[in-house]
Amino acid sequence: MDKEYVGFSALPSQLHRKSVKKGFDFTLMVAGESGLGKSTLINSLFLTNLYEDRQVPEASARLTRTLTIERRSVEIEEGGIKVKLTLVDTPGFGDAVDCSDCWLPVVRFIEEQFEQYLRDESGLNRKNIQDSRVHCCLYFISPFGRGLRPLDVAFLRAMHEKVNIIPVIGKADALMPKETQALKQKIRDQLKEEEINIYQFPECDSDEDEEFKRQDAEMKERIPFAVVGSSEVVRDGGTSRPVRGRCYSWGTVEVENPHHCDFLNLRRMLVQTHLQDLKEVTHDLLYEGYRARCLQSLARPGARDRTSRSKLSRQSATEIPLPMLPLAETEKLIREKDEELRRMQEMLEKMQAQMQQSQAPGEQSDSL
Amino acid sequence: MSKGLPETRSDAAMSELVPEPRPKPAVPMKPVSINSNLLGYVGIDTIIEQMRKKTMKTGFDFNIMVVGQSGLGKSTLVNTLFKSQVSRKAASWNREEKIPKTVEIKAIGHVIEEGGVKMKLTVIDTPGFGDQINNENCWEPIEKYINEQYEKFLKEEVNIARKKRIPDTRVHCCLYFISPTGHSLRPLDLEFMKHLSKVVNIIPVIAKADTMTLEEKSEFKQRVRKELEVNGIEFYPQKEFDEDLEDKTENDKIRQESMPFAVVGSDKEYQVNGKRVLGRKTPWGIIEVENLNHCEFALLRDFVIRTHLQDLKEVTHNIHYETYRAKRLNDNGGLPPGEGLLGTVLPPVPATPCPSAE
């Protein structure tokens, strides 16, 4: 039984050491109407006070406010592993009286990150590509509604092919257990009906034991997760140990109690087990889809065959000859020059019109 | 039949355009007592008993409207308020209830009786309000409905052969449901209340208040009160209609401390300490609807039903309705609608909201 030991079984630990040194980047977007407990939940998830200096403007100020996209980063370290967590916030979403198209800036933002990555990837210096792509979007659904609202549906349909969506029900302590079940079922039905693809937590490996598989299946049944967040640690009268929770006159909700809400499930699935998978799906599926669409739209008729073949597989990337990229660049330059020409033409026309006006002072002049 | 104080149609209201703010209508002041020393028992105080007997015989109308996004517990709250299934609850999960594309107005009437007194209660629901992506002007159907009821009453009033008791379909009270975000009012809330507070009595309530801790509740209420004040929104009981000092102190307390009431509604009963109570049962405790330590439902109920029911009707009749009437007369050149030519048809109900309702 003297097996010869080559040593490549040490590869995983080498990879591990390298990644630990490199650190992880993760970009998480939080979206949903204001007042659903998004910031509190993020603080609870990552045990940080990311939203300390936050000020929510009052209603009259929000009447004319447009959607903004805010980014804030924090470095979290745990067990020697560093994570650079970037949070993308969408204050103002769903606030206005007229929310038509209010999701467009968000969609545009996500595409811009893809665009940036595409450019970096095709550039000359690829050593330090900053990955600012959004790896996951936590979408908050109101516990007060009767399922997804029209705005929710519109947002999800615009975003589901561009980012991993994990729907959660915010402020879930508003619901009794039966109501939570009914709401979750309604949301699941609506998602199916509207053909919205949320992030699918992958199947367990076949070599996991039965207990683990059962737990995993149970957890997946709970989607969308009904969560409660809290930035306070309270002393629960009953157990007298400090817990993260919310104190009401009729009892205390414990954030980490699986009978009270699905916070633990969310944290486990999002942070502890699927962080890497979210990044991979973003890169392998969503980004590739964007990239293929982008390149296809730039492709000349002749070269279209090549791009369509390599639509979904990264392996055949080498088939796309490098000349494609310079072409893309020159195309862009040509477009920019066209724009400039057009602008100069417009200015010329304006100046001509003005000259005509000044030559005929007595006549009525139309405003330009 | 509204038991308002006998009012004189104020000439002032007929000849001038209704300015902002509205002038107080000519409600006669409390009579100055000339000589209150009677020489013996006369029996004038039995008038109260006589009025009571009459009310019991005729019963009275009360019309309450509920407005707010779907899912805020409007129907449940009304059922809880009147302890009966007076509002068609669309909250049952089994039914496929689609959110209507435009705001609908659904009025359902019930006769409920208590202690020999009959009340014809009409609950006016407004499904579809605030549920769309674009909610611009979604209050217009509501305003139109309210004005249509004033118009109906006006038509009856100016009839030559009037009914002894004009059926009163006017909205006496509008409960506006605020979502418990914990931050502040939403822009739609402001817009609605700005437009409608001059046309109907609005009582703002914070819905599903069991999601807020005591601190959060009190902070939120303060912020909401301030926002309403800053935006010049006068909810019921309006400051300008306090009749005397007694009213003012009582109402001030309600306006500045209690309102908007943070409520929880329920139609399910649970056993707590040997008693059956209306509430909500969660894994961390049972929320008792009528327990003042849990929520302010009891305050709302007492306010709307036990102390201010009659006043709500009076303010609707003496103030909101009078404002509408004055505007209509002004539009008609100072003549009461229908007068001048026999059998003249009243001018149509204005499609656009009254300017005074801005």
Side-chain angles (χ1 to χ4, degrees), chain A residues 127-361:
Chain A
K127 244 192 271 193
N128 296 317
I129 300 184
Q130 287 291 348
D131 186 5
S132 64
R133 296 172 296 183
V134 178
H135 300 120
C136 173
C137 173
L138 275 185
Y139 187 73
F140 280 69
I141 299 166
S142 171
F144 309 124
R146 295 211 187 100
L148 295 176
R149 294 214 176 111
L151 180 60
D152 299 331
V153 173
F155 180 88
L156 292 170
R157 294 187 80 181
M159 299 273 283
H160 69 144
E161 307 273 83
K162 307 205 158 71
V163 71
N164 290 316
I165 297 189
I166 298 184
V168 296
I169 300 171
K171 292 199 172 174
D173 53 351
L175 301 167
M176 298 194 289
K178 274 215 189 101
E179 293 172 340
T180 314
Q181 283 316 309
L183 180 59
K184 284 186 180 181
Q185 188 57 47
K186 185 87 209 287
I187 293 175
R188 283 196 285 257
D189 291 342
Q190 279 177 296
L191 287 173
K192 206 190 289 176
E193 203 183 298
E194 301 283 345
E195 295 179 334
I196 292 169
N197 302 322
I198 57 173
Y199 172 70
Q200 296 297 327
F201 290 96
E203 297 300 320
C204 302
D205 297 323
S206 47
D207 56 353
E208 299 281 0
D209 60 44
E210 283 307 311
E211 178 60 26
F212 185 85
K213 281 191 196 164
R214 191 187 61 81
Q215 276 185 354
D216 190 65
E218 225 180 80
M219 246 194 272
K220 288 190 186 142
E221 298 260 298
R222 294 225 196 175
I223 293 169
F225 294 126
V227 293
V228 177
S230 171
S231 39
E232 277 164 23
V233 176
V234 297
R235 207 138 239 162
D236 179 18
T239 59
S240 85
R241 70 193 149 83
V243 286
R244 220 162 230 275
R246 291 170 62 72
C247 259
Y248 293 113
S249 332
W250 48 88
T252 302
V253 183
E254 295 166 40
V255 166
E256 290 176 6
N257 183 334
H259 296 293
H260 289 192
C261 73
D262 300 325
F263 174 81
L264 274 184
N265 293 342
L266 175 68
R267 187 173 65 186
R268 193 171 312 153
M269 298 201 103
L270 175 62
V271 179
Q272 292 167 5
T273 47
H274 292 88
L275 217 55
Q276 186 56 25
D277 187 63
L278 283 163
K279 289 184 70 165
E280 281 175 15
V281 173
T282 307
H283 184 75
D284 296 337
L285 198 65
L286 303 166
Y287 167 69
E288 283 303 311
Y290 171 82
R291 185 175 169 280
R293 281 194 297 272
C294 203
L295 294 178
Q296 203 168 24
S297 64
L298 288 177
R300 297 269 195 72
R304 204 171 291 157
D305 305 62
R306 274 179 278 167
T307 42
S308 55
R309 261 187 284 139
S310 67
K311 207 175 187 177
L312 285 169
S313 99
R314 194 66 172 110
Q315 281 86 36
S316 46
T318 47
E319 272 189 77
I320 303 176
L322 277 172
M324 274 304 289
L325 271 329
L327 254 178
E329 290 282 292
T330 46
E331 284 271 9
K332 217 174 157 216
L333 273 167
I334 294 175
R335 266 184 290 146
E336 280 172 17
K337 293 290 176 201
D338 272 336
E339 266 294 321
E340 246 183 78
L341 266 167
R342 213 178 311 135
R343 257 179 274 143
M344 297 212 302
Q345 242 183 331
E346 275 177 28
M347 281 210 307
L348 259 168
E349 285 177 84
K350 270 196 202 161
M351 293 201 311
Q352 279 180 348
Q354 273 180 352
M355 286 202 315
Q356 282 179 359
Q357 268 186 20
S358 55
Q359 279 173 3

Side-chain angles (χ1 to χ4, degrees), chain B residues 17 49 66 95 107 133 154 281 298 303 332:
Chain B
L17 282 167
E49 183 61 26
V66 285
R95 273 194 279 166
I133 295 178
L154 183 60
K281 185 163 178 200
F303 179 69
N332 208 29

